[in-house]
Structure formats: structure tokens, C-alpha cells
mmCIF file of all heavy atoms in Angstrom:
data_model
loop_
_atom_site.group_PDB
_atom_site.id
_atom_site.type_symbol
_atom_site.label_atom_id
_atom_site.label_comp_id
_atom_site.label_asym_id
_atom_site.label_seq_id
_atom_site.Cartn_x
_atom_site.Cartn_y
_atom_site.Cartn_z
ATOM 1 N N ASP A 49 -72.718 110.906 -61.655
ATOM 2 C CA ASP A 49 -72.368 111.120 -60.255
ATOM 3 C C ASP A 49 -72.659 109.862 -59.462
ATOM 4 O O ASP A 49 -73.007 108.810 -60.025
ATOM 5 C CB ASP A 49 -73.120 112.333 -59.703
ATOM 6 C CG ASP A 49 -74.637 112.166 -59.761
ATOM 7 O OD1 ASP A 49 -75.107 111.011 -59.891
ATOM 8 O OD2 ASP A 49 -75.362 113.177 -59.684
ATOM 9 N N GLN A 50 -72.550 109.945 -58.152
ATOM 10 C CA GLN A 50 -72.704 108.758 -57.315
ATOM 11 C C GLN A 50 -74.107 108.175 -57.354
ATOM 12 O O GLN A 50 -74.324 107.019 -56.979
ATOM 13 C CB GLN A 50 -72.326 109.106 -55.865
ATOM 14 C CG GLN A 50 -73.187 110.213 -55.276
ATOM 15 C CD GLN A 50 -72.755 110.571 -53.867
ATOM 16 O OE1 GLN A 50 -71.938 109.875 -53.252
ATOM 17 N NE2 GLN A 50 -73.284 111.662 -53.318
ATOM 18 N N HIS A 51 -75.066 108.982 -57.821
ATOM 19 C CA HIS A 51 -76.446 108.507 -57.929
ATOM 20 C C HIS A 51 -76.787 108.016 -59.329
ATOM 21 O O HIS A 51 -77.933 107.636 -59.591
ATOM 22 C CB HIS A 51 -77.414 109.618 -57.535
ATOM 23 C CG HIS A 51 -77.180 110.176 -56.161
ATOM 24 N ND1 HIS A 51 -77.389 109.444 -55.006
ATOM 25 C CD2 HIS A 51 -76.715 111.396 -55.768
ATOM 26 C CE1 HIS A 51 -77.086 110.178 -53.955
ATOM 27 N NE2 HIS A 51 -76.674 111.370 -54.379
ATOM 28 N N GLY A 52 -75.802 108.034 -60.227
ATOM 29 C CA GLY A 52 -76.047 107.605 -61.600
ATOM 30 C C GLY A 52 -76.631 108.692 -62.479
ATOM 31 O O GLY A 52 -77.040 108.423 -63.610
ATOM 32 N N SER A 53 -76.662 109.938 -61.992
ATOM 33 C CA SER A 53 -77.204 111.050 -62.763
ATOM 34 C C SER A 53 -76.100 111.732 -63.564
ATOM 35 O O SER A 53 -74.920 111.703 -63.177
ATOM 36 C CB SER A 53 -77.860 112.083 -61.836
ATOM 37 O OG SER A 53 -78.919 111.494 -61.107
ATOM 38 N N PHE A 54 -76.475 112.344 -64.675
ATOM 39 C CA PHE A 54 -75.538 113.084 -65.509
ATOM 40 C C PHE A 54 -75.867 114.576 -65.409
ATOM 41 O O PHE A 54 -76.766 115.068 -66.095
ATOM 42 C CB PHE A 54 -75.634 112.632 -66.973
ATOM 43 C CG PHE A 54 -75.028 111.295 -67.242
ATOM 44 C CD1 PHE A 54 -75.757 110.135 -67.048
ATOM 45 C CD2 PHE A 54 -73.713 111.187 -67.687
ATOM 46 C CE1 PHE A 54 -75.201 108.886 -67.286
ATOM 47 C CE2 PHE A 54 -73.146 109.943 -67.936
ATOM 48 C CZ PHE A 54 -73.889 108.793 -67.734
ATOM 49 N N PRO A 55 -75.182 115.309 -64.542
ATOM 50 C CA PRO A 55 -75.462 116.749 -64.433
ATOM 51 C C PRO A 55 -74.997 117.491 -65.689
ATOM 52 O O PRO A 55 -73.883 117.291 -66.172
ATOM 53 C CB PRO A 55 -74.650 117.175 -63.202
ATOM 54 C CG PRO A 55 -73.566 116.152 -63.088
ATOM 55 C CD PRO A 55 -74.143 114.860 -63.603
ATOM 56 N N LEU A 56 -75.874 118.325 -66.230
ATOM 57 C CA LEU A 56 -75.539 119.092 -67.433
ATOM 58 C C LEU A 56 -74.915 120.421 -67.044
ATOM 59 O O LEU A 56 -75.361 121.074 -66.089
ATOM 60 C CB LEU A 56 -76.793 119.333 -68.265
ATOM 61 C CG LEU A 56 -77.494 118.078 -68.796
ATOM 62 C CD1 LEU A 56 -78.783 118.459 -69.520
ATOM 63 C CD2 LEU A 56 -76.584 117.295 -69.717
ATOM 64 N N PRO A 57 -73.876 120.860 -67.762
ATOM 65 C CA PRO A 57 -73.193 122.122 -67.441
ATOM 66 C C PRO A 57 -74.149 123.308 -67.521
ATOM 67 O O PRO A 57 -74.998 123.369 -68.413
ATOM 68 C CB PRO A 57 -72.103 122.224 -68.515
ATOM 69 C CG PRO A 57 -71.913 120.831 -69.011
ATOM 70 C CD PRO A 57 -73.246 120.170 -68.893
ATOM 71 N N PRO A 58 -74.050 124.262 -66.602
ATOM 72 C CA PRO A 58 -74.946 125.434 -66.609
ATOM 73 C C PRO A 58 -74.922 126.208 -67.929
ATOM 74 O O PRO A 58 -75.965 126.692 -68.380
ATOM 75 C CB PRO A 58 -74.435 126.284 -65.448
ATOM 76 C CG PRO A 58 -73.767 125.303 -64.525
ATOM 77 C CD PRO A 58 -73.161 124.274 -65.413
ATOM 78 N N ASP A 59 -73.725 126.349 -68.546
ATOM 79 C CA ASP A 59 -73.667 127.108 -69.791
ATOM 80 C C ASP A 59 -74.427 126.391 -70.913
ATOM 81 O O ASP A 59 -75.032 127.032 -71.787
ATOM 82 C CB ASP A 59 -72.215 127.373 -70.206
ATOM 83 C CG ASP A 59 -71.449 126.095 -70.475
ATOM 84 O OD1 ASP A 59 -71.734 125.078 -69.817
ATOM 85 O OD2 ASP A 59 -70.561 126.110 -71.365
ATOM 86 N N PHE A 60 -74.428 125.054 -70.870
ATOM 87 C CA PHE A 60 -75.193 124.290 -71.853
ATOM 88 C C PHE A 60 -76.688 124.498 -71.637
ATOM 89 O O PHE A 60 -77.449 124.709 -72.595
ATOM 90 C CB PHE A 60 -74.842 122.807 -71.750
ATOM 91 C CG PHE A 60 -75.650 121.915 -72.661
ATOM 92 C CD1 PHE A 60 -75.311 121.771 -73.992
ATOM 93 C CD2 PHE A 60 -76.758 121.224 -72.180
ATOM 94 C CE1 PHE A 60 -76.056 120.957 -74.845
ATOM 95 C CE2 PHE A 60 -77.512 120.409 -73.021
ATOM 96 C CZ PHE A 60 -77.146 120.277 -74.357
ATOM 97 N N LEU A 61 -77.120 124.471 -70.377
ATOM 98 C CA LEU A 61 -78.534 124.685 -70.065
ATOM 99 C C LEU A 61 -78.984 126.068 -70.519
ATOM 100 O O LEU A 61 -80.068 126.230 -71.089
ATOM 101 C CB LEU A 61 -78.762 124.526 -68.560
ATOM 102 C CG LEU A 61 -78.590 123.119 -67.975
ATOM 103 C CD1 LEU A 61 -78.688 123.164 -66.457
ATOM 104 C CD2 LEU A 61 -79.639 122.173 -68.537
ATOM 105 N N ASN A 62 -78.131 127.080 -70.294
ATOM 106 C CA ASN A 62 -78.486 128.443 -70.692
ATOM 107 C C ASN A 62 -78.527 128.586 -72.206
ATOM 108 O O ASN A 62 -79.435 129.218 -72.760
ATOM 109 C CB ASN A 62 -77.489 129.435 -70.096
ATOM 110 C CG ASN A 62 -77.604 129.532 -68.587
ATOM 111 O OD1 ASN A 62 -78.674 129.296 -68.031
ATOM 112 N ND2 ASN A 62 -76.505 129.873 -67.918
ATOM 113 N N ARG A 63 -77.541 128.005 -72.869
ATOM 114 C CA ARG A 63 -77.455 128.133 -74.328
ATOM 115 C C ARG A 63 -78.639 127.473 -75.011
ATOM 116 O O ARG A 63 -79.180 127.970 -75.990
ATOM 117 C CB ARG A 63 -76.132 127.547 -74.829
ATOM 118 C CG ARG A 63 -75.848 127.805 -76.292
ATOM 119 C CD ARG A 63 -74.435 127.427 -76.691
ATOM 120 N NE ARG A 63 -74.181 126.009 -76.566
ATOM 121 C CZ ARG A 63 -73.453 125.444 -75.614
ATOM 122 N NH1 ARG A 63 -72.913 126.209 -74.650
ATOM 123 N NH2 ARG A 63 -73.262 124.141 -75.566
ATOM 124 N N ARG A 64 -79.052 126.331 -74.474
ATOM 125 C CA ARG A 64 -80.167 125.589 -75.055
ATOM 126 C C ARG A 64 -81.505 125.980 -74.432
ATOM 127 O O ARG A 64 -82.538 125.425 -74.804
ATOM 128 C CB ARG A 64 -79.950 124.077 -74.852
ATOM 129 C CG ARG A 64 -78.681 123.540 -75.478
ATOM 130 C CD ARG A 64 -78.683 123.684 -76.981
ATOM 131 N NE ARG A 64 -79.775 122.935 -77.571
ATOM 132 C CZ ARG A 64 -80.064 122.910 -78.862
ATOM 133 N NH1 ARG A 64 -79.344 123.625 -79.696
ATOM 134 N NH2 ARG A 64 -81.071 122.200 -79.315
ATOM 135 N N ARG A 65 -81.471 126.931 -73.506
ATOM 136 C CA ARG A 65 -82.679 127.396 -72.832
ATOM 137 C C ARG A 65 -83.450 126.234 -72.199
ATOM 138 O O ARG A 65 -84.682 126.144 -72.314
ATOM 139 C CB ARG A 65 -83.576 128.165 -73.805
ATOM 140 C CG ARG A 65 -82.926 129.412 -74.376
ATOM 141 C CD ARG A 65 -83.834 130.136 -75.339
ATOM 142 N NE ARG A 65 -83.184 131.315 -75.884
ATOM 143 C CZ ARG A 65 -83.737 132.126 -76.782
ATOM 144 N NH1 ARG A 65 -84.964 131.873 -77.229
ATOM 145 N NH2 ARG A 65 -83.084 133.170 -77.238
ATOM 146 N N LEU A 66 -82.710 125.368 -71.538
ATOM 147 C CA LEU A 66 -83.313 124.218 -70.880
ATOM 148 C C LEU A 66 -83.589 124.558 -69.420
ATOM 149 O O LEU A 66 -82.709 125.027 -68.699
ATOM 150 C CB LEU A 66 -82.392 123.000 -70.973
ATOM 151 C CG LEU A 66 -82.058 122.505 -72.381
ATOM 152 C CD1 LEU A 66 -81.100 121.330 -72.316
ATOM 153 C CD2 LEU A 66 -83.333 122.105 -73.119
ATOM 154 N N ASP A 67 -84.793 124.327 -69.014
ATOM 155 C CA ASP A 67 -85.211 124.605 -67.646
ATOM 156 C C ASP A 67 -84.897 123.379 -66.778
ATOM 157 O O ASP A 67 -85.454 122.299 -67.003
ATOM 158 C CB ASP A 67 -86.705 124.905 -67.624
ATOM 159 C CG ASP A 67 -87.204 125.274 -66.243
ATOM 160 O OD1 ASP A 67 -86.411 125.214 -65.283
ATOM 161 O OD2 ASP A 67 -88.401 125.609 -66.122
ATOM 162 N N PRO A 68 -84.010 123.518 -65.783
ATOM 163 C CA PRO A 68 -83.672 122.362 -64.938
ATOM 164 C C PRO A 68 -84.865 121.767 -64.209
ATOM 165 O O PRO A 68 -84.854 120.594 -63.832
ATOM 166 C CB PRO A 68 -82.645 122.933 -63.943
ATOM 167 C CG PRO A 68 -82.125 124.170 -64.593
ATOM 168 C CD PRO A 68 -83.254 124.718 -65.407
ATOM 169 N N SER A 69 -85.917 122.578 -64.007
ATOM 170 C CA SER A 69 -87.082 122.074 -63.290
ATOM 171 C C SER A 69 -88.106 121.418 -64.220
ATOM 172 O O SER A 69 -89.088 120.839 -63.749
ATOM 173 C CB SER A 69 -87.762 123.216 -62.533
ATOM 174 O OG SER A 69 -88.267 124.194 -63.434
ATOM 175 N N ALA A 70 -87.891 121.510 -65.547
ATOM 176 C CA ALA A 70 -88.847 120.952 -66.506
ATOM 177 C C ALA A 70 -88.637 119.452 -66.669
ATOM 178 O O ALA A 70 -87.628 118.885 -66.238
ATOM 179 C CB ALA A 70 -88.701 121.652 -67.854
ATOM 180 N N GLU A 71 -89.613 118.814 -67.326
ATOM 181 C CA GLU A 71 -89.530 117.384 -67.604
ATOM 182 C C GLU A 71 -89.102 117.151 -69.049
ATOM 183 O O GLU A 71 -89.410 117.955 -69.934
ATOM 184 C CB GLU A 71 -90.881 116.713 -67.361
ATOM 185 C CG GLU A 71 -91.341 116.752 -65.915
ATOM 186 C CD GLU A 71 -92.682 116.076 -65.729
ATOM 187 O OE1 GLU A 71 -93.549 116.216 -66.620
ATOM 188 O OE2 GLU A 71 -92.867 115.403 -64.699
ATOM 189 N N TYR A 72 -88.401 116.038 -69.266
ATOM 190 C CA TYR A 72 -87.918 115.700 -70.600
ATOM 191 C C TYR A 72 -88.131 114.215 -70.860
ATOM 192 O O TYR A 72 -88.078 113.398 -69.933
ATOM 193 C CB TYR A 72 -86.420 116.030 -70.739
ATOM 194 C CG TYR A 72 -86.104 117.489 -70.566
ATOM 195 C CD1 TYR A 72 -85.917 118.032 -69.296
ATOM 196 C CD2 TYR A 72 -86.024 118.333 -71.658
ATOM 197 C CE1 TYR A 72 -85.652 119.370 -69.121
ATOM 198 C CE2 TYR A 72 -85.755 119.685 -71.504
ATOM 199 C CZ TYR A 72 -85.574 120.196 -70.235
ATOM 200 O OH TYR A 72 -85.322 121.529 -70.073
ATOM 201 N N TRP A 73 -88.377 113.889 -72.112
ATOM 202 C CA TRP A 73 -88.379 112.506 -72.538
ATOM 203 C C TRP A 73 -86.969 112.152 -73.029
ATOM 204 O O TRP A 73 -86.375 112.907 -73.781
ATOM 205 C CB TRP A 73 -89.375 112.266 -73.669
ATOM 206 C CG TRP A 73 -90.814 112.433 -73.300
ATOM 207 C CD1 TRP A 73 -91.661 113.411 -73.738
ATOM 208 C CD2 TRP A 73 -91.590 111.596 -72.445
ATOM 209 N NE1 TRP A 73 -92.918 113.253 -73.213
ATOM 210 C CE2 TRP A 73 -92.904 112.135 -72.401
ATOM 211 C CE3 TRP A 73 -91.307 110.450 -71.698
ATOM 212 C CZ2 TRP A 73 -93.924 111.571 -71.658
ATOM 213 C CZ3 TRP A 73 -92.335 109.888 -70.952
ATOM 214 C CH2 TRP A 73 -93.610 110.437 -70.936
ATOM 215 N N LEU A 74 -86.451 111.012 -72.581
ATOM 216 C CA LEU A 74 -85.143 110.542 -73.042
ATOM 217 C C LEU A 74 -85.354 109.523 -74.151
ATOM 218 O O LEU A 74 -86.074 108.544 -73.982
ATOM 219 C CB LEU A 74 -84.364 109.901 -71.891
ATOM 220 C CG LEU A 74 -82.973 109.352 -72.230
ATOM 221 C CD1 LEU A 74 -82.051 110.464 -72.719
ATOM 222 C CD2 LEU A 74 -82.363 108.641 -71.013
ATOM 223 N N ASP A 75 -84.742 109.772 -75.302
ATOM 224 C CA ASP A 75 -84.964 108.937 -76.477
ATOM 225 C C ASP A 75 -83.622 108.540 -77.077
ATOM 226 O O ASP A 75 -82.570 109.104 -76.744
ATOM 227 C CB ASP A 75 -85.797 109.728 -77.503
ATOM 228 C CG ASP A 75 -86.448 108.837 -78.558
ATOM 229 O OD1 ASP A 75 -86.326 107.598 -78.458
ATOM 230 O OD2 ASP A 75 -87.068 109.384 -79.483
ATOM 231 N N GLU A 76 -83.657 107.575 -77.969
ATOM 232 C CA GLU A 76 -82.473 107.137 -78.696
ATOM 233 C C GLU A 76 -82.762 107.143 -80.187
ATOM 234 O O GLU A 76 -83.861 106.825 -80.616
ATOM 235 C CB GLU A 76 -82.065 105.717 -78.291
ATOM 236 C CG GLU A 76 -81.660 105.549 -76.853
ATOM 237 C CD GLU A 76 -81.261 104.112 -76.557
ATOM 238 O OE1 GLU A 76 -80.265 103.645 -77.145
ATOM 239 O OE2 GLU A 76 -81.969 103.456 -75.773
ATOM 240 N N ARG A 77 -81.765 107.534 -80.984
ATOM 241 C CA ARG A 77 -81.885 107.457 -82.442
ATOM 242 C C ARG A 77 -80.498 107.217 -83.025
ATOM 243 O O ARG A 77 -79.590 108.027 -82.848
ATOM 244 C CB ARG A 77 -82.484 108.725 -83.034
ATOM 245 C CG ARG A 77 -82.704 108.642 -84.554
ATOM 246 C CD ARG A 77 -83.084 109.996 -85.153
ATOM 247 N NE ARG A 77 -84.341 110.451 -84.603
ATOM 248 C CZ ARG A 77 -84.591 111.744 -84.348
ATOM 249 N NH1 ARG A 77 -83.678 112.652 -84.569
ATOM 250 N NH2 ARG A 77 -85.762 112.092 -83.856
ATOM 251 N N ASP A 78 -80.347 106.102 -83.713
ATOM 252 C CA ASP A 78 -79.067 105.752 -84.353
ATOM 253 C C ASP A 78 -77.902 105.807 -83.377
ATOM 254 O O ASP A 78 -76.806 106.279 -83.689
ATOM 255 C CB ASP A 78 -78.787 106.690 -85.533
ATOM 256 C CG ASP A 78 -79.837 106.586 -86.621
ATOM 257 O OD1 ASP A 78 -80.452 105.505 -86.754
ATOM 258 O OD2 ASP A 78 -80.058 107.575 -87.339
ATOM 259 N N GLY A 79 -78.132 105.350 -82.153
ATOM 260 C CA GLY A 79 -77.071 105.303 -81.158
ATOM 261 C C GLY A 79 -76.886 106.579 -80.368
ATOM 262 O O GLY A 79 -76.095 106.612 -79.421
ATOM 263 N N ASP A 80 -77.587 107.652 -80.725
ATOM 264 C CA ASP A 80 -77.486 108.917 -80.007
ATOM 265 C C ASP A 80 -78.596 109.021 -78.964
ATOM 266 O O ASP A 80 -79.687 108.490 -79.141
ATOM 267 C CB ASP A 80 -77.600 110.103 -80.972
ATOM 268 C CG ASP A 80 -76.455 110.162 -81.958
ATOM 269 O OD1 ASP A 80 -75.337 109.746 -81.583
ATOM 270 O OD2 ASP A 80 -76.672 110.628 -83.091
ATOM 271 N N LEU A 81 -78.288 109.721 -77.873
ATOM 272 C CA LEU A 81 -79.288 110.021 -76.856
ATOM 273 C C LEU A 81 -79.911 111.378 -77.166
ATOM 274 O O LEU A 81 -79.203 112.333 -77.501
ATOM 275 C CB LEU A 81 -78.655 110.041 -75.467
ATOM 276 C CG LEU A 81 -78.072 108.716 -74.969
ATOM 277 C CD1 LEU A 81 -77.452 108.890 -73.588
ATOM 278 C CD2 LEU A 81 -79.151 107.634 -74.926
ATOM 279 N N ILE A 82 -81.223 111.453 -77.046
ATOM 280 C CA ILE A 82 -81.946 112.676 -77.388
ATOM 281 C C ILE A 82 -82.846 113.070 -76.223
ATOM 282 O O ILE A 82 -83.542 112.228 -75.655
ATOM 283 C CB ILE A 82 -82.804 112.474 -78.656
ATOM 284 C CG1 ILE A 82 -81.935 112.034 -79.833
ATOM 285 C CG2 ILE A 82 -83.550 113.752 -79.008
ATOM 286 C CD1 ILE A 82 -82.727 111.639 -81.040
ATOM 287 N N LEU A 83 -82.811 114.356 -75.867
ATOM 288 C CA LEU A 83 -83.714 114.895 -74.861
ATOM 289 C C LEU A 83 -84.839 115.642 -75.558
ATOM 290 O O LEU A 83 -84.596 116.573 -76.331
ATOM 291 C CB LEU A 83 -82.976 115.854 -73.925
ATOM 292 C CG LEU A 83 -82.079 115.259 -72.842
ATOM 293 C CD1 LEU A 83 -81.434 116.390 -72.049
ATOM 294 C CD2 LEU A 83 -82.865 114.357 -71.913
ATOM 295 N N HIS A 84 -86.076 115.233 -75.296
ATOM 296 C CA HIS A 84 -87.241 115.924 -75.840
ATOM 297 C C HIS A 84 -87.901 116.720 -74.713
ATOM 298 O O HIS A 84 -88.413 116.124 -73.763
ATOM 299 C CB HIS A 84 -88.265 114.930 -76.397
ATOM 300 C CG HIS A 84 -87.759 114.060 -77.492
ATOM 301 N ND1 HIS A 84 -87.268 114.548 -78.677
ATOM 302 C CD2 HIS A 84 -87.676 112.701 -77.586
ATOM 303 C CE1 HIS A 84 -86.909 113.555 -79.464
ATOM 304 N NE2 HIS A 84 -87.144 112.418 -78.821
ATOM 305 N N PRO A 85 -87.893 118.033 -74.782
ATOM 306 C CA PRO A 85 -88.601 118.805 -73.740
ATOM 307 C C PRO A 85 -90.086 118.461 -73.721
ATOM 308 O O PRO A 85 -90.730 118.382 -74.762
ATOM 309 C CB PRO A 85 -88.380 120.262 -74.167
ATOM 310 C CG PRO A 85 -87.208 120.231 -75.083
ATOM 311 C CD PRO A 85 -87.257 118.904 -75.781
ATOM 312 N N ARG A 86 -90.605 118.253 -72.550
ATOM 313 C CA ARG A 86 -92.028 117.969 -72.387
ATOM 314 C C ARG A 86 -92.719 119.271 -72.004
ATOM 315 O O ARG A 86 -92.877 119.589 -70.812
ATOM 316 C CB ARG A 86 -92.231 116.899 -71.311
ATOM 317 C CG ARG A 86 -93.651 116.360 -71.214
ATOM 318 C CD ARG A 86 -93.757 115.256 -70.172
ATOM 319 N NE ARG A 86 -95.114 114.721 -70.128
ATOM 320 C CZ ARG A 86 -96.098 115.238 -69.391
ATOM 321 N NH1 ARG A 86 -95.854 116.302 -68.625
ATOM 322 N NH2 ARG A 86 -97.302 114.708 -69.415
ATOM 323 N N ARG A 87 -93.125 120.051 -73.027
ATOM 324 C CA ARG A 87 -93.697 121.361 -72.744
ATOM 325 C C ARG A 87 -94.839 121.669 -73.716
ATOM 326 O O ARG A 87 -94.835 121.203 -74.860
ATOM 327 C CB ARG A 87 -92.621 122.442 -72.818
ATOM 328 C CG ARG A 87 -91.890 122.516 -74.140
ATOM 329 C CD ARG A 87 -90.673 123.416 -74.025
ATOM 330 N NE ARG A 87 -89.924 123.470 -75.267
ATOM 331 C CZ ARG A 87 -88.640 123.809 -75.348
ATOM 332 N NH1 ARG A 87 -87.975 124.115 -74.247
ATOM 333 N NH2 ARG A 87 -88.029 123.845 -76.513
ATOM 334 N N PRO A 88 -95.781 122.486 -73.280
ATOM 335 C CA PRO A 88 -96.938 122.829 -74.124
ATOM 336 C C PRO A 88 -96.591 123.966 -75.089
ATOM 337 O O PRO A 88 -96.987 125.112 -74.888
ATOM 338 C CB PRO A 88 -97.988 123.255 -73.099
ATOM 339 C CG PRO A 88 -97.177 123.837 -71.973
ATOM 340 C CD PRO A 88 -95.901 123.052 -71.922
ATOM 341 N N ASP A 89 -95.876 123.653 -76.158
ATOM 342 C CA ASP A 89 -95.359 124.693 -77.049
ATOM 343 C C ASP A 89 -96.056 124.726 -78.407
ATOM 344 O O ASP A 89 -95.499 125.260 -79.375
ATOM 345 C CB ASP A 89 -93.846 124.538 -77.239
ATOM 346 C CG ASP A 89 -93.450 123.154 -77.727
ATOM 347 O OD1 ASP A 89 -94.331 122.279 -77.848
ATOM 348 O OD2 ASP A 89 -92.242 122.936 -77.983
ATOM 349 N N ALA A 90 -97.254 124.161 -78.514
ATOM 350 C CA ALA A 90 -98.022 124.287 -79.763
ATOM 351 C C ALA A 90 -98.356 125.752 -80.008
ATOM 352 O O ALA A 90 -98.611 126.518 -79.064
ATOM 353 C CB ALA A 90 -99.295 123.454 -79.699
ATOM 354 N N ARG A 91 -98.350 126.151 -81.285
ATOM 355 C CA ARG A 91 -98.604 127.545 -81.636
ATOM 356 C C ARG A 91 -99.845 127.735 -82.518
ATOM 357 O O ARG A 91 -100.311 128.865 -82.688
ATOM 358 C CB ARG A 91 -97.387 128.138 -82.354
ATOM 359 C CG ARG A 91 -96.117 128.163 -81.526
ATOM 360 C CD ARG A 91 -95.060 129.029 -82.178
ATOM 361 N NE ARG A 91 -94.650 128.520 -83.466
ATOM 362 C CZ ARG A 91 -93.619 127.703 -83.666
ATOM 363 N NH1 ARG A 91 -92.897 127.295 -82.629
ATOM 364 N NH2 ARG A 91 -93.305 127.288 -84.878
ATOM 365 N N LYS A 92 -100.351 126.649 -83.083
ATOM 366 C CA LYS A 92 -101.438 126.774 -84.056
ATOM 367 C C LYS A 92 -102.303 125.527 -83.988
ATOM 368 O O LYS A 92 -101.788 124.424 -83.774
ATOM 369 C CB LYS A 92 -100.846 126.942 -85.455
ATOM 370 C CG LYS A 92 -101.812 127.273 -86.569
ATOM 371 C CD LYS A 92 -101.012 127.537 -87.854
ATOM 372 C CE LYS A 92 -101.868 127.996 -88.993
ATOM 373 N NZ LYS A 92 -101.062 128.292 -90.214
ATOM 374 N N ILE A 93 -103.608 125.686 -84.157
ATOM 375 C CA ILE A 93 -104.500 124.533 -84.123
ATOM 376 C C ILE A 93 -105.481 124.604 -85.289
ATOM 377 O O ILE A 93 -106.049 125.662 -85.582
ATOM 378 C CB ILE A 93 -105.254 124.447 -82.771
ATOM 379 C CG1 ILE A 93 -106.097 123.172 -82.700
ATOM 380 C CG2 ILE A 93 -106.099 125.682 -82.520
ATOM 381 C CD1 ILE A 93 -106.623 122.873 -81.300
ATOM 382 N N PHE A 94 -105.639 123.486 -85.977
ATOM 383 C CA PHE A 94 -106.622 123.326 -87.044
ATOM 384 C C PHE A 94 -107.799 122.543 -86.476
ATOM 385 O O PHE A 94 -107.611 121.443 -85.941
ATOM 386 C CB PHE A 94 -106.021 122.559 -88.228
ATOM 387 C CG PHE A 94 -104.922 123.291 -88.957
ATOM 388 C CD1 PHE A 94 -103.636 123.342 -88.439
ATOM 389 C CD2 PHE A 94 -105.167 123.919 -90.168
ATOM 390 C CE1 PHE A 94 -102.614 124.008 -89.110
ATOM 391 C CE2 PHE A 94 -104.163 124.585 -90.853
ATOM 392 C CZ PHE A 94 -102.879 124.635 -90.323
ATOM 393 N N ILE A 95 -108.989 123.094 -86.593
ATOM 394 C CA ILE A 95 -110.171 122.447 -86.030
ATOM 395 C C ILE A 95 -111.136 122.098 -87.165
ATOM 396 O O ILE A 95 -111.589 122.984 -87.901
ATOM 397 C CB ILE A 95 -110.874 123.354 -85.003
ATOM 398 C CG1 ILE A 95 -109.901 123.762 -83.889
ATOM 399 C CG2 ILE A 95 -112.078 122.637 -84.407
ATOM 400 C CD1 ILE A 95 -110.501 124.736 -82.886
#
């Protein structure tokens, strides 16, 4: 858009369960762009 942002389609956000208010890390791998959700989703801990 005019601000240089890439708005994601609502159906894509719903399908991928992406929260528009959440934070993401933007990464690259082999020429592809990757979004990493920044969320506390650990399920198990070894102490």
C-alpha cells in the first residue's frame, strides 16, 4: 500500500489462525519470506 505495508487477506489470516494484533518475526530462507509468530506456545519443559 502507500505506506509500504503488505495487507494480508482476511481469509488467509483466518485459515492460518494469525492474529492481526500479534507480533511476528520476518525471516528469509532460500529466497522465500517467512513469518514466525512471536508467541509463548511452549507445551513441555525439561528441568
